[in-house]
Amino acid sequence: MDIFTKMNEYEQIMFCNDSASGLKAIIVIHNTTLGPALGGCRMRPYASVDEALEDALRLAKGMTYKCAAADVDFGGGKSVIIGDPQKDKSPELFRAFGQFIDSLNGRYYTGTDMGTELSDFVHAAKETNCIAGLPEEYGGGGDTSVPTAMGVIYGLKATSKMLWGSEDLADRTFSIQGLGKVGFKVAEQLIELGANLYVTDVNDNTLAKFIEKNNKYRNAIKFVHGNDIYSSAADIFVPCALGGIINDDTIEQLQVKAVVGSANNQLLEDRHADVLRQKNILYAPDYIVNAGGLIQVADELYGPNKARVLQKTSAIYHSLEEIYQEAEKLNISTAQAANNYCERKIAARKNRNSFFSRHKRPKWQIRN
Ligand code: NAD
């Protein structure tokens, strides 16, 4: 493999090996124009090093765009640990990983992603101060689903304004897929605002819990079975569960005027943004709408403050407005307009150093 051809637009790749703990990891830094790279660490039993590298490269680039869109002082990076999260984890492995992170001297900050948990990073944080998204008891911001749900509500308001000239969500109907940490909160806020809901979740207990807690709004809530959520006659589809749910099959079924939700990687393929546009369905790019969690994680560097995070999250409304207007003006998909929006932000800061590339965060007081 010609690694430098692969690295073309990337700044750095670090291969980490620690035989004592069995750590095999790859850290990729895509772009630090806006600040040090930020991106979670994924642990998977990758079939090969090539597969692990491809995953890290793809995810690191995505983080550059996510950070630019969220207006946080970070660039894009990602790391992967090659191993089985069920069998190969140990405190020593994460401490070794923490030492490699620390050797980058503030160029890369990481935290949880698929296969890793906050408790793993408590070990890593003993070796480096470059861990973001720690539990509240370690000085972190805690559960990210609160600002993420708030960001979805801002996204729905901006979309409503674009479609109907008013951000008022009362009497609108929303079809929500997934009542987990984010979807549950979005659904509650919507019924409190006077909206009607179609909801579905694969977990019946979750649905029962939702009704028990919100029984006074029972008339505004309709349960839908599984995939029937796609054809529900709602105004806006709100995916808060899986990725890949916007595809040829589901787009055919959609009755809605817009898709606005928290789920990551909603489009099965990039071209599905154009298919939605052809069907006159307004798509709110997922990484713009679900940035609330990232905003909280990045904000930890200023010291946790929930009110400030929610205030910063309101910027999602204005980002979406700008993206919708550009897509309409240039007759392009909103996904393309979102990428343009992020690239403009990066270009505008190209020759300026960010605050956090010059100042390292104070070390956490974690003891063995
Ligand atoms: P979660 O695991 O708490 O909730 C997901 C819910 O979806 C669960 O209740 C699950 O039972 C349900 N579900 C799974 N498959 C389903 C299906 N086929 N149909 C209907 N329901 C299904 O996750 P979460 O934290 O609420 O995140 C939801 C989505 O938002 C995920 O895609 C996640 O990557 C994304 N996201 C979350 C955050 C955050 O801060 N939590 C931030 C950014 C993006």
Side-chain angles (χ1 to χ4, degrees):
M1 182 197 307
D2 179 355
I3 201 81
F4 284 104
T5 307
K6 248 191 176 2
M7 279 184 77
N8 186 21
E9 58 177 312
Y10 291 78
E11 291 181 13
Q12 191 174 5
I13 302 177
M14 186 181 188
F15 291 86
C16 316
N17 182 53
D18 178 63
S19 336
S21 65
L23 174 77
K24 288 195 171 15
I26 305 172
I27 300 170
V28 173
I29 296 178
H30 174 251
N31 186 306
T32 59
T33 304
L34 299 182
L38 173 69
C41 169
R42 190 167 275 199
M43 184 167 186
R44 276 185 62 187
Y46 291 100
S48 66
V49 174
D50 278 5
E51 190 186 293
L53 179 60
E54 287 297 342
D55 209 22
L57 288 167
R58 181 179 61 84
L59 295 165
K61 184 174 174 184
M63 285 307 298
T64 298
Y65 283 75
K66 277 190 172 194
C67 289
D71 236 342
V72 296
D73 288 331
F74 282 97
K78 202 86 183 185
S79 51
V80 293
I81 296 178
I82 302 171
D84 185 339
Q86 309 303 326
K87 295 196 305 231
D88 298 331
K89 282 184 181 178
S90 67
E92 292 70 31
L93 182 137
F94 281 94
R95 287 189 77 140
F97 185 59
Q99 287 177 350
F100 281 109
I101 303 285
D102 206 54
S103 73
L104 285 165
N105 205 25
R107 269 175 61 70
Y108 173 61
Y109 285 70
T110 195
T112 56
D113 197 86
M114 271 166 53
T116 58
E117 286 158 38
L118 289 176
S119 53
D120 300 326
F121 287 95
V122 171
H123 302 298
K126 290 172 181 165
E127 303 291 348
T128 181
N129 56 6
C130 295
I131 302 294
L134 281 167
E136 284 182 85
E137 58 274 29
Y138 287 102
D143 182 6
T144 54
S145 66
V146 177
T148 303
M150 182 57 82
V152 175
I153 297 291
Y154 281 120
L156 289 167
K157 287 186 173 176
T159 306
S160 171
K161 181 88 191 295
M162 182 72 190
L163 287 172
W164 301 297
S166 159
E167 60 181 55
D168 187 0
L169 303 179
D171 298 324
R172 295 273 167 215
T173 305
F174 301 88
S175 46
I176 305 183
Q177 183 180 48
L179 289 179
K181 291 186 289 296
V182 178
F184 200 106
K185 296 180 182 75
V186 170
E188 281 192 323
Q189 289 178 55
L190 285 174
I191 41 177
E192 277 163 23
L193 289 170
N196 299 301
L197 305 181
Y198 290 102
V199 291
T200 189
D201 197 291
V202 283
N203 187 337
D204 289 342
N205 292 337
T206 305
L207 291 172
K209 198 173 123 202
F210 184 72
I211 275 299
E212 191 189 318
K213 197 159 170 240
N214 298 286
N215 207 27
K216 66 177 169 172
Y217 299 110
R218 186 67 189 84
N219 292 339
I221 307 164
K222 286 197 186 79
F223 291 116
V224 176
H225 196 69
N227 290 344
D228 291 349
I229 197 76
Y230 300 118
S231 53
S232 299
D235 293 307
I236 301 183
F237 174 43
V238 187
C240 292
L242 310 167
I245 35 77
I246 301 297
N247 53 50
D248 293 330
D249 179 39
T250 58
I251 293 175
E252 275 298 305
Q253 301 172 53
L254 289 177
Q255 312 278 324
V256 293
K257 290 275 175 286
V259 176
V260 184
S262 76
N264 271 316
N265 305 319
Q266 290 168 27
L267 304 174
L268 185 63
E269 295 170 39
D270 291 348
R271 69 179 176 87
H272 287 119
D274 290 304
V275 185
L276 283 175
R277 187 165 69 96
Q278 283 147 17
K279 267 201 82 177
N280 262 333
I281 298 175
L282 190 58
Y283 169 60
D286 47 17
Y287 72 91
I288 306 285
V289 175
N290 70 21
L294 173 65
I295 290 171
Q296 173 169 303
V297 166
D299 187 81
E300 270 183 34
L301 294 161
Y302 300 89
N305 182 312
K306 290 184 199 301
R308 187 177 61 222
V309 168
L310 291 182
Q311 192 255 323
K312 285 184 177 180
T313 302
S314 66
I316 289 172
Y317 181 99
H318 304 290
S319 306
L320 259 188
E321 259 192 329
E322 197 174 323
I323 289 162
Y324 285 158
Q325 280 161 11
E326 173 163 335
E328 190 175 62
K329 194 167 117 205
L330 302 182
N331 208 14
I332 55 175
S333 74
T334 51
Q336 182 59 54
N339 289 346
N340 295 352
Y341 173 78
C342 296
E343 283 160 15
R344 272 200 304 277
K345 283 190 167 207
I346 295 165
R349 288 263 297 276
K350 200 101 204 156
N351 298 317
R352 283 200 277 138
N353 272 340
S354 90
F355 174 81
F356 282 115
S357 38
R358 287 175 277 120
H359 296 83
K360 280 187 77 182
R361 125 194 239 191
K363 197 157 174 70
W364 296 110
Q365 296 300 306
I366 295 180
R367 298 278 175 263
N368 286 327

